[in-house]
Amino acid sequence: MPNREKVSLQLSEDNRKEFFEIRIYICIAVFLVLFFLILARVWHLQIFNGKRWRVFSEANRIELKKIPAVRGKIVDRNGVILAKSSPSFDLMINAQKLSNADKERILVFLGDVFDWSTEKKETVRNKIERNSNQSKITLERDITFDQMSKILTHQYDLHGVNIDYEPTRVYPYGVLASHILGYLGEIGKKELNRMKEDEGTADNRQYGLGDYWGVYGIEKKHENVLRGKHGTLPVVEDARGRELSDEKAYDLLPSFQEQKPISGQDVKLSIDSRLQKVFEDAFLKHESGAAVLLNIETGEILAMLSYPNFKPQEFARGVSTQYWQEINKNNLNPMYNRAVKGVYPPGSTFKMITAHAALEEKVIGPEDKIFCPGYYRLGREVKRCWNRGGHGWMNAKNAIKHSCDVYFYEVGRRLGIDKIAEYARKYDLGQVTGIQYQPEAKGLVPDSKWKRKVYEQPWVAGETLSVAIGQGYLQTSVLQMARMVGGLAKGYLVTPSLEYMEINQKVNRKKVDLPNEIQEIILQGMYDVVNTPGGTAYWGGRSNKIEIAGKTGTAQVVSFRAKKQLEDHAWYVAYAPAQDPKVAAAIIVEHGGHGGAVAAPIIKKVMDAYKEYYIDE
């Protein structure tokens, strides 16, 4: 028995020894495998891919380069391109990569390529010094292909010099519809900081310093649609600031994937560039004013002009100091949109509202007549009619035709200011039209309550007479007046829009409480203004192509600084065709004189063109 125990113990010790020896062999094997794996990796890196990683070790800048998105086009209702983006190439330099010797050598070379003057070279040198801590400094924008080829040919020697692609906004028709299209502006530090501070602006995160975005007009309103989405591309620069090829960049940065840019969407406008051009060409001989052609069935604006205009192309890549000074020195303020922001006394174009109020309130009958001797006496005050010789006996229809001031003085006195204001507001005068294009002026429809609040004085009867003929405190915009004419012609108001409307698209209409018998009198009077002898637009507004109904007006202008009467503003409002109204127009030629002689011929040209393009086709 003792011998058995001894043998068993000896066997156990032998087993343990064998087990430990096996573990040692396993550890040695694992160590050897790991050693050879490391050795193989070192050989792979140092020998097989040594050149590749030697290049990578020299690289000291790795970034995701922005690939600019192509901005969407803006087209008119017929697909004519009014704004688009075209390729542009900019010369950039990385001042961080350059020694002073390199800078001077590069400046000499670039000076020869771009034919820089001594002053220009000094300006560029100072710009580089001021921005020496920046990785990208723009030296030239929109370089030519010839200039680009010369730079690329010597790319190896131009340390830190690169060419960036940037789509540039192009406006093929120059100043055409400039206030509608608007322009782009460069994003500065203030705008960028404001974006970061605003909450809920995730879409703005793709903007960076120096990017361009819409700051005015349609370019601003539809920025989110037009801008698209930038892409990204992995970029590796070597120690001298030279970008490696895309193939090498991908080879060195396999984990990065290119994100292709998404182009912006196109925006289709309601305007017709042909009608817009008729407006703009007709205004060339005048200094300033505004005009609108409105589809009174849909609310689409077919043409809208503010004059003088500006060159949106000048803002596409940063406005020059010279052009900005030219704009600011122009006393007529070309950047001001007179069509929606300008407000003026509407003059005699307002008389239809007074007629509506007088007839509906029955302060006078349709055939009741008022005698016009050429003047109107109210107490000790005497107001003159524009026709100093007088019009004789006038009823409502003839008073509109001849624009008799005395008739409207009298019915205005009978109505009182508050009733006139009530009917003006039925046509939304003194209110924004809802165009949703850019902030618009409300204008003013005064009443007795308003004057007491603003001036702390009671309303007086003489002020009512002025408002009754569209003068005094009354202020309206050109767009409001075009909409008002549509309300008279159709019995409802439409919301003006610059957006193209598809067929059967829902239209917002606001009914005007205009009795048919009163509407007939007003519209007949407007027809006679243009189409019968003695009408105030008979010579200037009558067309042999399309029947137009309208109303002329002049608005008195007084310079409070100079304390003198200036040349009157020339007004004209109209609709056509007279028997089946489709469009309405309103125009003001600032300091143009008489509406029938100056403003009506312009609308006639536009209405003739409308017939050619929309009725005869």
Side-chain angles (χ1 to χ4, degrees), residues 230-247:
H230 298 319
T232 55
L233 178 71
V235 172
V236 178
E237 292 181 354
D238 65 17
R240 294 190 171 185
R242 296 171 300 196
E243 288 186 7
L244 302 183
S245 65
D246 292 349
E247 182 180 349

Side-chain angles (χ1 to χ4, degrees), residues 371-476:
F371 184 75
C372 170
Y375 63 88
Y376 184 83
R377 190 180 299 278
L378 180 67
R380 290 181 295 179
E381 183 180 7
V382 176
K383 285 185 171 291
R384 298 288 180 181
C385 183
W386 72 266
N387 183 351
R388 296 301 176 91
H391 290 100
W393 291 100
M394 291 279 107
N395 61 14
K397 184 182 69 174
N398 288 330
I400 293 173
K401 171 184 174 179
H402 295 283
S403 196
C404 177
D405 291 332
V406 170
Y407 178 92
F408 289 100
Y409 286 149
E410 175 58 23
V411 297
R413 182 193 64 79
R414 297 179 189 181
L415 281 166
I417 185 59
D418 292 335
K419 275 297 177 184
I420 297 175
E422 177 186 330
Y423 280 82
R425 293 183 183 121
K426 286 185 177 183
Y427 292 86
D428 284 354
L429 298 182
Q431 300 294 324
V432 295
T433 66
I435 189 175
Q436 296 182 353
Y437 148 66
Q438 60 179 240
E440 57 176 318
K442 292 174 62 175
L444 174 65
V445 173
D447 57 19
S448 57
K449 184 178 179 180
W450 168 83
K451 188 182 179 187
R452 190 171 293 279
K453 178 181 178 181
V454 174
Y455 292 101
E456 297 182 350
Q457 295 177 0
W459 189 271
V460 296
E463 294 169 330
T464 302
L465 306 190
S466 295
V467 173
I469 64 166
Q471 297 286 166
Y473 297 115
L474 187 64
Q475 299 277 304
T476 62

Side-chain angles (χ1 to χ4, degrees), residues 554-557 565-570 589-594:
T554 55
Q556 294 180 354
V557 186
Q565 175 85 32
L566 301 179
E567 186 72 20
D568 294 340
H569 293 328
V589 179
E590 293 183 350
H591 310 296
H594 194 275

Side-chain angles (χ1 to χ4, degrees), residues 250-432:
Y250 279 116
D251 193 29
L252 294 172
L253 301 171
S255 61
F256 289 98
Q257 296 295 323
E258 177 185 2
Q259 292 185 357
K260 294 186 179 298
I262 300 174
S263 298
Q265 300 176 40
D266 297 344
V267 171
K268 191 173 186 178
L269 301 182
S270 62
I271 68 168
D272 186 321
S273 56
R274 300 168 298 181
L275 298 176
Q276 184 74 24
K277 191 173 188 306
V278 173
F279 259 152
E280 302 205 8
D281 288 348
F283 250 95
L284 291 177
K285 62 182 180 181
H286 302 293
E287 285 194 335
S288 58
V292 174
L293 181 66
L294 178 69
N295 183 322
I296 53 179
E297 294 184 326
T298 66
E300 293 173 293
I301 293 175
L302 300 178
M304 183 167 69
L305 164 75
S306 178
Y307 196 79
N309 42 30
F310 62 90
K311 302 173 184 177
Q313 191 66 58
E314 293 286 344
F315 297 83
R317 298 300 305 276
V319 62
S320 67
T321 302
Q322 180 180 356
Y323 187 69
W324 188 244
Q325 289 177 347
E326 178 185 332
I327 289 289
N328 287 327
K329 288 179 180 179
N330 190 330
N331 293 329
L332 296 174
N333 193 0
M335 305 302 294
Y336 184 64
N337 190 338
R338 289 166 164 81
V340 296
K341 290 187 175 181
V343 290
Y344 313 83
S348 295
T349 60
F350 182 77
K351 288 175 178 176
M352 288 85 74
I353 304 300
T354 306
H356 178 186
L359 293 170
E360 187 162 348
E361 293 298 320
K362 294 182 172 51
V363 299
I364 196 169
E367 296 303 324
D368 291 346
K369 295 182 178 180
I370 294 173
F371 184 75
C372 170
Y375 63 88
Y376 184 83
R377 190 180 299 278
L378 180 67
R380 290 181 295 179
E381 183 180 7
V382 176
K383 285 185 171 291
R384 298 288 180 181
C385 183
W386 72 266
N387 183 351
R388 296 301 176 91
H391 290 100
W393 291 100
M394 291 279 107
N395 61 14
K397 184 182 69 174
N398 288 330
I400 293 173
K401 171 184 174 179
H402 295 283
S403 196
C404 177
D405 291 332
V406 170
Y407 178 92
F408 289 100
Y409 286 149
E410 175 58 23
V411 297
R413 182 193 64 79
R414 297 179 189 181
L415 281 166
I417 185 59
D418 292 335
K419 275 297 177 184
I420 297 175
E422 177 186 330
Y423 280 82
R425 293 183 183 121
K426 286 185 177 183
Y427 292 86
D428 284 354
L429 298 182
Q431 300 294 324
V432 295

Side-chain angles (χ1 to χ4, degrees), residues 50-86:
K51 183 179 180 181
R52 171 191 176 192
W53 292 108
R54 184 165 57 253
V55 173
F56 187 75
S57 66
E58 293 177 358
N60 57 11
R61 182 169 181 83
I62 304 171
E63 66 175 8
L64 290 178
K65 183 178 180 180
K66 181 185 73 176
I67 307 175
V70 176
R71 195 171 179 86
K73 297 188 290 291
I74 302 176
V75 301
D76 82 344
R77 66 186 302 107
N78 300 310
V80 176
I81 297 174
L82 302 176
K84 63 179 181 178
S85 293
S86 294

